[in-house]
Amino acid sequence: MTLANPSDTATSAPLRRPLFARVPPAVAFGLFWLALVITCAAFADLIRPYDITRMDLGARLSPPGTPGHWLGTDELGRDVLSRLIQSVRVSLVIAFGATILSAVFGTTLGFLAAQFRGVVEHLVVMLADFQAALPFLIMSLAVLAFFGSSMLLLVCLMGFYGWERYARIARGLAISAGAQGYAAAVVQLGATPRRVYLHHILPNVASTLIVSMTLTFPEIILMESGLSFLGLGVQPPETSLGNMVGFGREYLTTAPWVMLAPAVVIMLTTLSISLVGDWLRDKLDPTIR
Amino acid sequence: MTDLLVAEGLVRIYSARRGLLGKAAPVRAVDGISLCVRRGETLGIVGESGSGKSTLGRMLLGVDPLQGGEVRYAGTPMPPAGTAEWRRLRARMQMVYQDPLSALDRRLTIAAQIREPLDIHKIGDAAFRAARVDELMRAVGLRPDQAGRYPHELSGGQRQRVVIARALATGPDLLVCDEPVSALDVSIQAQVVNLLRNLQASAGLAMVFISHDLKVVRNLCDRVAVMYLGRVVEEGPAEDLFADPRHPYTRALISSVPEPGRPLDGRVILQGEPPNPAKRPPGCAFHPRCALATDICRGSVPQLRKAGPGRAAACHHFDGADAARAA
Amino acid sequence: MIRFVSIRLLRAAITVLAVMTFAFVVLRLSGDPAAVLLGPDVPKDVVDAFRAEWHLGEPIWRQYMAYIGAILTGDFGLSMRDKSPALELVLERVPATLMLTIPALLLKIGLGIPAGIYAALHRDSVVDRGVILMAILGFTIPSFVMGLVLVLIFAVTWNLLPSGGFGGWQHAILPALTMSIGGIGVLARFSRSAMIEVMGQPYIRTASAKGVKWHDVVRGHALPNAAVPIVTIVGFMVGALIAGAVVVETIFSWPGIGRLLIVSVSNRDLAVVQCILLLIAAVMVVSNLTVDLLYGWLDPRLRNSAAH
C-alpha cells in the first residue's frame, strides 16, 4: 500500500538499458576515433608501412598523396604516416601509464587521509598545496633539467600529474560514506571493513574516479606533447606526437603537413576523450538519467 | 517479559577540538543513563536536539564507545565495536536511520541491499535469500516489481521501508529507530509508524524509538524516557506519563502537543536558552528554564526517584514538596 | 579576520619554504652543487670561496641553512654561459615576459568573463553556442599548435604580422594572442556555468519577484555571488599563464623568462633553472594568497570562520 510515485508509472522496462542504446553522433565519432587510435597503438609494428628511422633521401619533404607515402615525408625522407603511428603508440602508452599511476597514488592517499584523519590528513593536504604552488610544466622542466630525460623518468613524472584531484575525491567520498552514510550503515549490518571498501566505497568512488581519469588523460597527453615539443620530453630516436610537431616547426612554411598531421591527431584524440568521458559519466552514474 | 537490553550508568564524552590550534573542550553528551528494554516492548526516548538521544541510541547498540557504564544484551556484556563477536551480534539487533537516502548505497538495487545482511551473515542459500527478500518486501508494503529499483528512484517513505526491511532481514530481537519518521511527510509518517507497530507485533520485536515528536511517541510506545542534556529526567509507562507528567520539563513538552478539537490550554512556555551540552548549568541542568527552581536546584543534581508505580522523575520538587525535607 | 589572514600567510610561507627545500634536495641529488652551479672552467679559488660560502662539506643541516640564507639574499649561483649572477640574468628578462603575460591576462579577463556572463544571460543564443565551442577548442588545442597555426595564417599566408622575434608592439600581438585564446574560451565557459548556477538560486527569483529591475538584480545579486568562483579560476590562470609563457616564448623566439628556462634546461645551466623555479614559486604563492584573501573579502561567510 504505497503512494503512487511518478517514476513508478513512467516505465516498467528494465532500468539497465544496454550501454550503446542511444549514442549521440559526436560521441560516436569520439568512440570511433579512440578505437582507431588504440588499434594503432596496439598494432603499431604491424600496421606501420616503414620503419620510423628509415630515410628515403630521394623523396625528402614530399607532400601527402605521394605514392608510397600517404602523409608525405619529412626533411630526412622519413615517412610521416609511419612516424605518426609510432608516435601515437608512444604518447598513448606514456599517458595511460601516467594516468594509472596518478590515480592509484592519489586514491590511496585520499583513502589514507580519510581513514586516519589527523596528521596524515594534514600531510596530504600540504603535499597537495605544494603541488599547486608550481605549474606542473615548470616543475617538470626543473626535474628534467636536474635529472635528464629518460623514458622512465618521464612516465614517473607524468604520474604525479593530477593526483591531488583523485585524492580529494577519494577522501571526500570516503568520509561522507563513513560518517553518516551507507558505509556506516553497512558496518552496522555486520560487514567487515574489507567488504565495506570493496563492495561499497570503491564502486561508488570508481565512477567519479574514472571520470577524473578521462579528464586527466588528455591533459597528460597535452603536457607530454608540450614537453616533447620543447625538446625535453621524448628524445630521438623515439618519436612522440609533440616531438613531431617540434621537429616539423622548422618546415612550417615549406612543408606544413609534417607538423599538421601530428597536431590534428593530438586535437582529435583529446577532443574524443573529453566527449566520451562526459558521456561515460552520465552513463555510469545512476542518479543522473 | 525478560530484560533484553540493560544499560547502566552510560557516559559518553566527546572532546571537541576546534581546529589545529583550539583547546580540547570535553562535552558530556550522555551523563550517566541507566535503562532497560524488555522483550517485545517499545521504549520511547524523547528529547530536543542536543539532549544526547541519538548518541544514546548508538551506545545501546555498541556503535559508539562508552566512556563509562556498561551495556548488556541478553545478559552478556556488549563486545567492543569492530570485533568479530560484535559483528555477529548485529544479526540480533539493528538500526533504522533518520535519513534513509544516506543509509542506502545509491549504486545497488533495493533488493540487493535488503539481501545484504543475509549475505554478510551467510544465512541460507541463494534461493532462500531470494524468497526472504520477497517476503520482507511484501511485509513492509513494497511491490515485487520495485525490487530492481535504485534508492533515488523511490519516495522517502518507500526508502524508509527498504531500510526497515533490511533491518529485519536477519530476524533481530531489537530494533533501535533514530528519528525514523522525522524526515518524512506527515501523511507518510503515520503509515510508517503503523508499519513499525504491526511488524513489531507480528515478530515480537523489542524497539527503542528515539524521537522529538511526542504525538508519534505516544502513539507507539509502551514506556517513555524523557532526556534533557544527557540525563533521563523522567520515565514511566507512556499513558501515565502523558496523562500526568511530573517533571517540569515533561510538563512543558506535553502541554505543547496539540490535541485535535481542543484549543491549547495550560501551555507551559519555557524561558532561557535551549540546551547546549558544551555549557552545562551547575546543579539541575534544567534550572535556568524552570519555573520551580530554587537554591537547591542550582546546587545539587537531582537523581531519579520513584514517582509512582513504574515511574521515576529527577526533580527536587516534582511532588510539590521539598524533596530534601522529605528524605 | 586577523586569524583568517594570518593562517593564510602562514601557509604561504610554509609553501615557499617547501619549494626551497625541494630545490635544495633535488640539487643535492643531482651531484656536487659547486660543479653543478658554477660549471666547469671556473678558477679554483672561486670554487673554494663558493664551497666555503655554501658550507659544502659540513653537516647537511648547516648546508641547508646556508642555502636558505643564500637564496634569501639573492645568491643563486652563476650562470654557466657568461658567469654572471643567475638572478641578474633572470630579472633582466622579466619585463619581456610581462609584456606578453599582462596583455594576455587582460584579454582573458576582458573578453572571457563578459562573454561568459552574456552567454549565461542569453541561453542558446549565438554567443552562448559560440562560447561553448570556443571553450572546447581552447581545451583541446595545445598552445604550441595554436601558435604555429596562427603563424601559418597571419605571418606566412597573409604576411600581416612578424613570425617571431622581439621588436615593436606588432611582434607582441601573435604571442599574446596565442597565450590568451585558449584561456578566453575556458574562462568564458566557466563564467557561464558560475553565472547559470547563481541565476538558478532561489534568492534571485525572490529579488526579481520583489519587483527589483532585472538589470539591478544581475548587478546587485547575481554578479557579486558569481564573482567568487570566477575569482578563484582567475587565480588558477596565473599558473597557466606562466606555463603558457614558456611554450609561447619558445615558438616566437621571445626573449623572456620562459625561453630562458628552456634554454637553461637544455644546457643544464642549473643555477638559472633554480633561480627561475624559485621566482615562479614566489609569484604563484603571492597570487594564490591574493586570491585567498580576495575570496575572504568577497565572501563574508569565510571571514569569520577560520575553516580551511
Side-chain angles (χ1 to χ4, degrees):
Chain A
M1 192 207 59
T2 54
L3 289 188
N5 186 9
S7 71
D8 291 354
T9 51
T11 166
S12 52
L15 273 324
R16 281 276 199 221
R17 277 194 290 273
L19 213 52
F20 295 101
R22 280 172 317 173
V23 176
V27 179
F29 169 75
L31 285 169
F32 164 73
W33 178 261
L34 284 180
L36 183 66
V37 149
I38 293 180
T39 318
C40 273
F43 298 106
D45 297 320
L46 299 174
I47 314 180
R48 218 168 42 216
Y50 302 94
D51 188 67
I52 59 168
T53 49
R54 193 178 124 157
M55 300 189 265
D56 187 356
L57 292 169
R60 282 186 286 185
L61 292 180
S62 24
T66 321
H69 299 285
W70 287 3
L71 285 178
T73 59
D74 66 10
E75 75 279 11
L76 290 178
R78 294 177 296 196
D79 181 35
V80 170
L81 181 60
S82 308
R83 288 180 68 84
L84 197 62
I85 293 176
Q86 179 69 8
S87 302
V88 162
R89 159 185 272 191
V90 171
S91 292
L92 277 189
V93 165
I94 293 180
F96 194 68
T99 306
I100 301 280
L101 269 179
S102 167
V104 169
F105 181 60
T107 309
T108 312
L109 280 187
F111 278 156
L112 285 177
Q115 185 68 21
F116 296 111
R117 308 306 292 270
V119 174
V120 175
E121 200 173 5
H122 279 289
L123 233 97
V124 173
V125 166
M126 273 186 352
L127 271 178
D129 267 354
F130 172 74
Q131 179 99 354
L134 286 173
F136 193 80
L137 186 68
I138 309 291
M139 190 157 65
S140 316
L141 287 173
V143 173
L144 289 171
F146 283 107
F147 296 114
S149 304
S150 75
M151 192 69 112
L152 184 64
L153 180 65
L154 198 59
V155 177
C156 288
L157 190 58
M158 296 288 116
F160 278 103
Y161 184 87
W163 69 264
E164 70 272 11
R165 301 180 206 181
Y166 304 109
R168 194 175 313 131
I169 293 173
R171 173 186 164 276
L173 287 177
I175 288 183
S176 71
Q180 298 296 335
Y182 57 90
V186 175
V187 166
Q188 168 54 23
L189 288 178
T192 56
R194 194 171 137 244
R195 191 190 168 95
V196 175
Y197 264 94
L198 288 184
H199 268 253
H200 291 276
I201 296 189
L202 206 51
N204 268 286
V205 177
S207 64
T208 322
L209 285 182
I210 289 180
V211 166
S212 215
M213 280 167 82
T214 58
L215 283 178
T216 9
F217 195 87
E219 289 178 24
I220 293 186
I221 293 184
L222 290 175
M223 177 73 50
E224 177 268 315
S225 305
L227 282 173
S228 303
F229 169 80
L230 294 168
L232 295 163
V234 175
Q235 301 290 318
E238 273 301 338
T239 170
S240 93
L241 293 169
N243 225 337
M244 284 180 78
V245 177
F247 288 136
R249 187 178 143 215
E250 283 174 58
Y251 301 93
L252 188 61
T253 45
T254 47
W257 57 87
V258 180
M259 170 229 120
L260 281 176
V264 166
V265 169
I266 294 178
M267 281 166 21
L268 285 179
T269 311
T270 49
L271 185 63
S272 302
I273 300 176
S274 304
L275 287 174
V276 172
D278 269 352
W279 173 78
L280 212 58
R281 178 195 54 216
D282 291 345
K283 282 288 171 190
L284 282 178
D285 189 351
T287 57
I288 302 178
R289 290 231 178 216
Chain B
M1 286 199 284
T2 51
D3 283 356
L4 186 60
L5 187 77
V6 175
E8 272 168 22
L10 297 184
V11 175
R12 174 97 173 100
I13 305 178
Y14 292 110
S15 56
R17 214 166 7 108
R18 297 168 327 139
L20 194 54
L21 305 167
K23 281 199 326 256
V27 172
R28 290 194 148 227
V30 173
D31 188 20
I33 292 195
S34 307
L35 41 78
C36 67
V37 185
R38 300 192 199 100
R39 278 191 196 278
E41 104 173 329
T42 310
L43 172 69
I45 299 188
V46 171
E48 302 170 69
S49 40
S51 57
K53 53 190 196 300
S54 293
T55 311
L56 178 65
R58 289 196 301 272
M59 290 169 83
L60 290 179
L61 285 178
V63 174
D64 269 15
L66 313 172
Q67 271 79 41
E70 184 189 47
V71 176
R72 281 198 301 277
Y73 175 78
T76 48
M78 179 75 69
T83 57
E85 215 187 314
W86 179 86
R87 285 199 290 270
R88 269 197 299 277
L89 208 49
R90 298 306 96 199
R92 307 255 50 80
M93 54 179 71
Q94 267 305 311
M95 189 150 178
V96 176
Y97 303 88
Q98 179 168 5
D99 181 10
L101 187 59
S102 70
L104 294 171
D105 187 336
R106 67 186 191 146
R107 299 192 55 81
L108 299 175
T109 59
I110 61 171
Q113 302 200 50
I114 296 177
R115 200 185 62 235
E116 181 143 23
L118 303 171
D119 295 335
I120 291 175
H121 296 278
K122 303 198 184 6
I123 298 178
D125 61 357
F128 172 83
R129 293 178 200 176
R132 178 94 176 120
V133 169
D134 277 340
E135 184 193 333
L136 287 163
M137 282 182 65
R138 249 180 298 125
V140 300
L142 291 167
R143 298 194 315 273
D145 65 86
Q146 291 177 303
R149 302 260 170 197
Y150 294 90
H152 63 276
E153 291 171 338
L154 304 175
S155 69
Q158 290 169 325
R159 287 196 280 264
Q160 195 61 295
R161 291 169 196 271
V162 173
V163 171
I164 294 173
R166 181 176 71 174
L168 295 176
T170 55
D173 307 315
L174 172 69
L175 208 62
V176 172
C177 304
D178 186 2
E179 306 259 20
V181 295
S182 308
L184 304 175
D185 294 336
V186 175
S187 51
I188 311 291
Q189 282 184 13
Q191 292 178 12
V192 175
V193 168
N194 282 335
L195 172 66
L196 282 173
R197 201 214 324 269
N198 296 337
L199 288 171
Q200 185 202 18
S202 61
L205 278 178
M207 203 153 58
V208 175
F209 194 88
I210 302 172
S211 178
H212 62 270
D213 187 343
L214 291 167
K215 307 188 298 302
V216 174
V217 169
R218 179 178 197 161
N219 198 342
L220 190 60
C221 303
D222 302 318
R223 283 180 38 238
V224 175
V226 179
M227 276 182 71
Y228 191 82
L229 274 186
R231 303 178 70 90
V232 172
V233 297
E234 181 161 6
E235 64 180 337
E239 273 313 308
D240 295 348
L241 193 128
F242 276 87
D244 177 29
R246 293 304 179 85
H247 192 281
Y249 179 59
T250 323
R251 255 189 239 132
L253 284 182
I254 289 174
S255 73
S256 71
V257 178
E259 300 242 347
R262 284 197 301 130
L264 273 180
D265 57 348
R267 200 174 148 199
V268 178
I269 304 199
L270 294 175
Q271 313 293 335
E273 304 267 308
N276 179 0
K279 286 192 255 163
R280 179 185 291 274
C284 171
F286 187 60
H287 83 256
R289 305 169 81 186
C290 183
L292 304 178
T294 59
D295 286 331
I296 189 178
C297 304
R298 283 180 268 279
S300 74
V301 180
Q303 302 301 316
L304 274 171
R305 300 183 288 127
K306 196 163 149 66
R311 299 187 59 177
C315 177
H316 294 297
H317 302 298
F318 69 74
D319 45 8
D322 190 342
R325 266 193 290 133
Chain C
M1 187 62 184
I2 304 284
R3 196 177 158 163
F4 181 79
V5 171
S6 40
I7 286 188
R8 295 291 181 277
L9 278 174
L10 189 65
R11 271 172 79 172
I14 292 182
T15 310
V16 170
L17 191 64
V19 176
M20 292 202 280
T21 312
F22 170 72
F24 176 74
V25 167
V26 167
L27 189 58
R28 309 302 274 100
L29 284 177
S30 65
D32 176 25
V36 150
L37 289 178
L38 294 178
D41 317 325
V42 174
K44 185 170 186 312
D45 52 342
V46 176
V47 175
D48 286 340
F50 182 80
R51 291 188 80 91
E53 202 188 316
W54 284 52
H55 295 254
L56 299 178
E58 293 182 40
I60 199 104
W61 65 270
R62 288 207 90 199
Q63 293 191 37
Y64 181 61
M65 301 298 290
Y67 178 79
I68 301 286
I71 299 287
L72 290 176
T73 52
D75 177 10
F76 291 87
L78 302 178
S79 159
M80 273 200 298
R81 278 197 308 177
D82 49 5
K83 307 295 172 248
S84 57
L87 186 61
E88 257 178 46
L89 204 61
V90 170
L91 288 181
E92 234 169 40
R93 308 289 191 108
V94 168
T97 301
L98 287 178
M99 260 181 81
L100 291 185
T101 49
I102 294 187
L105 185 64
L106 291 174
L107 264 179
K108 283 194 203 185
I109 297 183
L111 285 183
I113 298 184
I117 294 182
Y118 186 87
L121 294 173
H122 300 87
R123 301 287 298 277
D124 291 331
S125 65
V126 171
V127 175
D128 190 21
R129 295 196 193 277
V131 162
I132 298 184
L133 185 65
M134 269 209 75
I136 295 182
L137 288 180
F139 174 65
T140 52
I141 302 183
S143 58
F144 56 92
V145 169
M146 177 66 73
L148 292 177
V149 164
L150 285 177
V151 166
L152 201 56
I153 299 178
F154 287 98
V156 175
T157 316
W158 290 345
N159 219 348
L160 274 177
L161 293 165
S163 65
F166 185 64
W169 58 269
Q170 301 99 315
H171 291 262
I173 293 186
L174 281 185
L177 199 58
T178 311
M179 278 178 74
S180 52
I181 277 193
I184 292 181
V186 170
L187 190 56
R189 173 101 186 259
F190 195 84
S191 307
R192 176 183 173 275
S193 319
M195 198 64 182
I196 288 179
E197 175 154 349
V198 165
M199 299 294 280
Q201 297 288 324
Y203 58 82
I204 297 288
R205 275 205 298 277
T206 312
S208 142
K210 278 196 299 188
V212 181
K213 282 209 299 269
W214 189 239
H215 183 77
D216 290 327
V217 171
V218 170
R219 212 160 45 108
H221 290 279
L223 282 181
N225 279 287
V228 174
I230 294 180
V231 161
T232 322
I233 270 283
V234 171
F236 289 144
M237 293 202 128
V238 171
L241 271 177
I242 297 180
V246 172
V247 174
V248 167
E249 289 179 14
T250 305
I251 296 180
F252 292 94
S253 305
W254 187 267
I257 294 186
R259 180 129 181 276
L260 180 61
L261 181 61
I262 297 298
V263 167
S264 309
V265 169
S266 314
N267 298 334
R268 300 206 70 187
D269 191 350
L270 295 171
V272 177
V273 171
Q274 181 190 231
C275 180
I276 296 182
L277 182 74
L278 292 169
L279 183 66
I280 292 181
V283 167
M284 290 291 301
V285 163
V286 167
S287 139
N288 285 339
L289 187 65
T290 313
V291 167
D292 259 349
L293 293 178
L294 211 59
Y295 207 68
W297 176 67
L298 280 174
D299 188 348
R301 292 175 297 183
L302 291 179
R303 264 184 241 152
N304 296 321
S305 82
H308 301 277

